[in-house]
Amino acid sequence: MQNTNDFLKDMKKLGFGLMRLPKRADDPAKIDIEQVCQMVDLFMDAGFTYFDTAYVYDGGASEEAARKALVERYPRDSYTIATKLNAWLGKPDEAAAKQQLATSMKRLGVDYVDFYLLHALQLNNRSIYEDYDLWNFVRKQKEKGLVRHWGFSFHGTPEMLDQLLVENPDAEFVQLQINYADMENANVASRACYEIARKHGKPIVVMEPVKGGLLANPPEKVAEVFTKADPAASFASWAIRYVASMDGIMTVLSGMSNLDQMKDNISFMKDFHPLDASEKEVIDQVQQIIRDLGAIPCTACHYCTDGCPAKIRIPDIFRAFNIYKIYQDMAQAGRIYGMATSQNGKPSDCIECGQCEGACPQHLPIISLLKEAAVLEK
Ligand code: SF4
Ligand code: SF4
């Protein structure tokens, strides 16, 4: 059987992240399967094979969309699927956590999963994975042939990553958040985590290379630098090529949400060329600009919102606040803020319970940031 280090040579460096699939115009709660089929066809035609979903994405609809758009339409050996076991979102008990693999396989319509991950390990959930004995659970699923390769996705500190890889040296790969804006960001520590994974010889799947879409529409000063360097290149192409150029990368997940994004990603990843020296200098320049701007590094993952007693749409408020702070565009920020708060809580409704800060993979000081964002209430 092929091992994960073989994938470093063989796998093309773009993976289709199924976390932000397009929604139907006539029913925005449902995934637009027809468009997903077209996206899958373009992706497969270009020679890409890695699909990444999770038990918790879209309440299971992401896995079901993968079955309809991919599994039911392509031979099983022509693609690989990654999905994940989440032991903390929704607070499943041990039996429910262990049942997730069977449910994922049923939703996906497959009898094995190529890559199985313990999902979003971080400081505040690490003990659950240990208490439920889930590390051994995934090992057993591999022995049974239900899982071909296993690893974990990670949002914790570099020290915690090092410990996990010492304690679990048979983890075959790790999934890390790496993008040019977060390399030195203390909250995310992309560079330090990358270096630890490399030290342990683990192949790396990159998530959030475009930082939840933020780097596809970067601050004006950053956009100017990129446009001057290459007027034809999309902003997302700089972000994805940056991480795909690093050593030890298995694949780079792009959470594509429509056909245009798929076409753009394929245009520069089908015949991938790593960044050259002058392009790396451009990245150095924009990294400095972003550090100077000081935006809230929220990726809109929404892990913080489910348990908020004040029903505050935290990521939408931060998005509005970043637009206000970086672009000084109060009109646009006000519109986003108005939509976020018309049926939900405002920053001033926060009772400072701290639930959101414990759930945030970026370790953002949400309570104090909401106090700053209260400027938008005026
Ligand atoms: S601290 Fe505030 S924003 Fe966070 S969950 Fe509690 S009420 Fe909501
Ligand atoms: S504040 Fe943190 S948990 Fe909430 S959406 Fe942003 S990054 Fe995710």
Side-chain angles (χ1 to χ4, degrees), residues 16-244:
F16 188 175
L18 306 175
M19 187 183 190
R20 300 182 180 90
L21 290 173
K23 295 291 166 45
R24 279 167 46 175
D26 61 339
D27 188 350
K30 295 206 174 119
I31 291 172
D32 180 352
I33 296 294
E34 202 178 312
Q35 189 173 173
V36 178
C37 287
Q38 293 171 339
M39 294 166 78
V40 166
D41 292 346
L42 287 178
F43 188 75
M44 293 288 285
D45 284 351
F48 299 106
T49 55
Y50 192 100
F51 292 81
D52 174 83
T53 182
Y55 178 85
V56 296
Y57 289 173
D58 252 331
S62 167
E63 290 181 328
E64 283 172 4
R67 185 189 73 244
K68 291 176 192 160
L70 175 69
V71 176
E72 291 176 354
R73 300 172 64 243
Y74 284 89
R76 182 66 185 92
D77 60 359
S78 63
Y79 58 83
T80 58
I81 287 190
T83 191
K84 312 183 190 81
L85 187 165
N86 191 308
W88 53 280
L89 218 56
K91 299 188 170 60
D93 62 19
E94 181 176 336
K98 288 179 172 168
Q99 183 60 31
Q100 287 182 18
L101 175 61
T103 304
S104 289
M105 290 201 302
K106 190 167 176 209
R107 288 175 184 160
L108 288 163
V110 297
D111 53 14
Y112 69 92
V113 169
D114 301 272
F115 297 94
Y116 200 51
L117 297 89
L118 299 180
H119 195 174
L121 269 286
Q122 53 191 293
L123 289 170
N124 72 341
N125 63 29
R126 170 184 182 169
S127 61
I128 305 174
Y129 288 90
E130 283 157 10
D131 293 348
Y132 290 180
D133 199 25
L134 294 173
W135 296 91
N136 285 324
F137 173 76
V138 291
R139 288 181 179 104
K140 280 188 199 129
Q141 307 317 302
K142 179 171 174 174
E143 279 165 28
K144 287 197 238 167
L146 298 179
V147 166
R148 291 271 161 96
H149 302 285
W150 69 272
F152 60 95
S153 65
F154 185 76
H155 292 281
T157 61
E159 297 73 26
M160 177 181 161
L161 179 61
D162 197 37
Q163 275 175 11
L164 289 180
L165 290 174
V166 167
E167 290 167 13
N168 301 282
D170 51 339
E172 295 172 86
F173 63 100
V174 292
Q175 184 165 312
L176 300 178
Q177 177 176 315
I178 305 176
N179 59 66
Y180 69 74
D182 284 329
M183 291 307 281
E184 317 303 337
N185 176 343
N187 288 325
V188 180
S190 288
R191 187 183 305 284
C193 288
Y194 168 78
E195 285 171 358
I196 285 166
R198 294 289 290 152
K199 180 183 86 176
H200 286 272
K202 300 299 174 193
I204 298 163
V205 175
V206 175
M207 59 182 157
E208 304 286 9
V210 194
K211 203 169 166 49
L214 283 179
L215 304 181
N217 189 20
E220 199 178 323
K221 285 182 185 167
V222 169
E224 277 169 14
V225 172
F226 281 143
T227 304
K228 191 170 162 212
D230 184 352
S234 68
F235 301 130
S237 75
W238 284 97
I240 292 173
R241 287 183 61 226
Y242 171 76
V243 286

Side-chain angles (χ1 to χ4, degrees), residues 309-327:
K311 304 213 176 313
I312 300 171
R313 292 175 60 119
I314 298 162
D316 297 328
I317 288 170
F318 287 171
R319 186 158 71 95
F321 185 61
N322 280 340
I323 287 170
Y324 165 74
K325 191 174 172 192
I326 295 168
Y327 299 97

